Amino acid sequence: MARIRLLVGTKKGAFIFTADGSRRDWAISGPFFPGWEIYHVKASPVNPDRIYAAQNSPWFGQLIQRSDDGGANFTPVGNDFRYDGVPVTHQSDDGTPQPWAFKRVWHIEPSLTCAETVFAGVEDAALFKSTDAGANWAELSGLRTSGTGSAWQPGAGGLCLHSVILDPVNADRMFIAISAAGAFRTDDAGQSWRPINQGLVSEHIPDPKAEIGHCVHHIAMHPARPNTLFMQKHWDIMRSDNAGDNWFEISGNVPTDFGFVIDVHAHEPETLYVVPIKSDAEHFPLEGKLQVYRSRSGGHEWEALTHGLPQQDCYVNVLRDAMAVDRMDPCGIYFGTTGGQIYGSADAGDHWQTIAQTLPAVLSVEVQTLP
Amino acid sequence: MKATIHVELPVSLTALAGCARHLALSVETPVTQSRVIDALEQAYPVLRGTIRSRQAKIRRPFIRFFACQTDISHDPPNAPLPPSVCEGHEMFLIVTAIAGG
């Protein structure tokens, strides 16, 4: 029977949960790196026992940890994230030019084809690549010098590159998203990039349809349809069917289209999940009811999934990297909250189980489906 | 010429480096903050970037250096440390600032 491994990053350490394919009984190990902020933990799809963790502290800065035995042991690898010296600036909060300065790793994305290759999205926004399993990192600086970098401004969480999607069909194509610059695509393995924000409308910026400046919260893709992207923007749930060249809104009947996470069912490319959050000022569910919304039609039509989730007095948030789906049939879906809960569903969202109740605030959730 | 300098690390860094909290480091004279950290990073490379920036070698904002009941964090990194530290009578303390929650 297959096994499931959940990789959870929190404000005070990392945790690993394991279960068999029934996904009923979960064992927990951790905390790994106790006391440290773990923004993201993710495993290589090529070598599932190779797991990376982005470990950060306001005191000690950034570390990257790597396990080669499925999380039993971790070893620090390279933490020298050095911008390549291109003398460009971005906008600071007050509009003045600001030199790029490394702050932290937000997202780790291991290669789909090579166990030694891994990407890291960082703050201040940049994309780094390692071809030796995290020992050394080199910036793909074409992103910052693509022509719009000098106008990028930080979102409330900083100028962070938080989403990295690798095209499973075209190895030269990648998608990334930056708060609050927008989404970008490369078609030449990261040498050059262009903004892909046509169709996004953001009322809180001077030109709502500007080429850049959109606060993209997360992007998701189903591997069987690499030209179709789904986006949870600051406000608005969006869809593109041409690899980001154009976007259109699919918020439909969700009660609020503010939120952070978005994900796609493992076997149904038109089945989507979001967690609506009340507003940009009130980062918690509407009316204190934690509800996942599912669309089985690629957007527009959404249904609330509530069975097993708290339906009163719930005032947590679900952050952008804190939802994941497994590869089982039926598909499992998991998410973590800023209140320290992990919820899982073994039937595509129809019923939910509380996997953990009292963790530190959850920053990220990833899942592995193991043989 | 080298001197033996006694250094105390924050607990989090001892866990990271897998070392004792109190270390005796052999440091080139004249002994300075920079040279103590150089010796520490050479002995424990995993600590590179955790106490000071890798490139500019600037002390991280929430790290403090204490010696002889004095905060010497703002002393020039290349200024000689107090004689009692250099002679091994007092410790060079690497301390985490009180912050966060």
Side-chain angles (χ1 to χ4, degrees):
Chain A
M1 179 183 276
R3 294 176 297 129
I4 302 298
R5 187 155 63 202
L6 286 182
L7 309 173
V8 177
T10 81
K11 287 279 282 185
K12 297 292 181 186
F15 299 84
I16 297 178
F17 295 80
T18 51
D20 64 23
S22 69
R23 295 164 287 182
R24 282 192 301 266
D25 299 314
W26 294 87
I28 181 172
S29 57
F32 301 92
F33 330 115
W36 295 68
E37 292 177 340
I38 309 299
Y39 268 56
H40 200 206
V41 188
K42 192 158 188 179
S44 164
V46 182
N47 175 4
D49 280 340
R50 173 162 286 174
I51 300 171
Y52 297 94
Q55 174 186 7
N56 192 273
S57 147
W59 291 270
F60 308 119
Q62 183 69 48
L63 291 156
I64 300 291
Q65 298 271 355
R66 192 185 79 209
S67 172
D68 289 323
D69 56 10
N73 298 281
F74 282 88
T75 303
V77 287
N79 66 343
D80 191 1
F81 290 91
R82 190 174 303 206
Y83 295 101
D84 80 351
V86 177
V88 292
T89 57
H90 61 79
Q91 302 285 305
S92 65
D93 290 324
D94 63 8
T96 56
Q98 186 78 22
W100 253 263
F102 175 83
K103 296 181 177 65
R104 59 179 59 81
V105 172
W106 276 69
H107 183 98
I108 297 172
E109 191 65 33
S111 164
L112 301 175
T113 56
C114 172
E116 307 302 310
T117 298
V118 56
F119 298 87
V122 313
E123 176 188 354
D124 287 341
L127 185 63
F128 284 79
K129 179 180 182 180
S130 170
T131 55
D132 53 13
N136 295 282
W137 297 90
E139 187 196 359
L140 298 175
S141 59
L143 175 62
R144 284 193 299 136
T145 57
S146 63
T148 60
S150 61
W152 298 353
Q153 286 189 319
L159 184 65
C160 53
L161 194 163
H162 50 68
S163 296
V164 181
I165 297 180
L166 308 177
D167 189 318
V169 176
N170 179 355
D172 287 339
R173 175 170 281 184
M174 286 186 278
F175 304 90
I176 63 95
I178 297 169
S179 290
F184 297 80
R185 188 181 81 208
T186 179
D187 292 313
D188 56 14
Q191 293 184 56
S192 63
W193 297 77
R194 67 184 186 88
I196 49 167
N197 300 306
Q198 188 83 34
L200 304 186
V201 180
S202 299
E203 301 295 343
H204 56 282
I205 61 177
D207 175 3
K209 299 181 179 179
E211 182 183 34
I212 56 131
H214 302 276
C215 193
V216 176
H217 284 180
H218 203 49
I219 300 177
M221 170 209 283
H222 191 283
R225 293 193 190 167
N227 285 331
T228 296
L229 301 174
F230 300 101
M231 174 192 293
Q232 173 65 66
K233 194 162 67 64
H234 196 75
W235 293 96
D236 302 334
I237 305 167
M238 307 295 293
R239 172 178 179 142
S240 170
D241 288 316
N242 53 12
D245 285 341
N246 301 92
W247 296 88
F248 58 94
E249 188 172 358
I250 56 170
S251 302
N253 63 330
V254 289
T256 163
D257 61 9
F258 188 90
F260 291 91
V261 293
I262 188 164
D263 218 327
V264 189
H265 189 288
H267 314 298
E268 300 171 11
E270 294 292 316
T271 297
L272 318 177
Y273 299 90
V274 296
V275 178
I277 297 296
K278 183 175 180 183
S279 73
D280 49 2
E282 298 176 59
H283 283 189
F284 43 73
L286 275 171
E287 301 173 343
K289 299 176 180 177
L290 182 57
Q291 300 181 329
V292 175
Y293 271 70
R294 177 175 63 196
S295 171
R296 292 193 181 277
S297 54
H300 303 295
E301 301 291 331
W302 299 84
E303 59 180 323
L305 308 173
T306 63
H307 197 283
L309 298 176
Q311 295 304 296
Q312 62 180 18
D313 305 326
C314 182
Y315 294 95
V316 299
N317 195 2
V318 180
L319 299 178
R320 69 187 84 233
D321 249 339
M323 178 180 270
V325 297
D326 69 27
R327 307 291 305 170
M328 299 287 288
D329 188 11
C331 175
I333 180 163
Y334 310 87
F335 68 95
T337 77
T338 55
Q341 296 87 37
I342 302 287
Y343 296 105
S345 168
D347 55 9
D350 289 337
H351 302 86
W352 295 89
Q353 170 193 6
T354 303
I355 296 173
Q357 186 108 30
T358 51
L359 297 181
V362 175
L363 303 179
S364 64
V365 174
E366 295 288 352
V367 60
Q368 294 180 270
T369 308
L370 304 170
Chain B
M1 190 167 172
K2 293 195 171 184
T4 299
I5 305 300
H6 297 276
V7 176
E8 181 177 291
L9 288 179
V11 170
S12 294
L13 293 188
T14 66
L16 180 65
C19 65
R21 188 154 191 213
H22 294 163
L23 301 173
L25 297 175
S26 182
V27 180
E28 288 282 347
T29 57
V31 177
T32 65
Q33 287 180 19
S34 285
R35 285 182 169 174
V36 171
I37 307 301
D38 286 345
L40 181 62
E41 290 177 345
Q42 186 168 4
Y44 301 98
V46 71
L47 298 182
R48 287 179 182 147
T50 64
I51 296 168
R52 61 183 180 181
S53 62
R54 277 179 165 270
Q55 296 168 59
K57 300 195 182 302
I58 296 171
R59 175 181 52 80
R60 292 188 56 80
F62 291 165
I63 296 290
R64 291 288 183 272
F65 301 140
F66 293 173
C68 308
Q69 289 79 50
T70 303
D71 183 350
I72 59 172
S73 306
H74 300 292
D75 289 0
N78 293 319
L81 293 183
S84 56
V85 174
C86 301
E87 293 161 5
H89 303 309
E90 294 276 353
M91 298 197 82
F92 179 81
L93 306 176
I94 300 173
V95 179
T96 51
I98 298 172

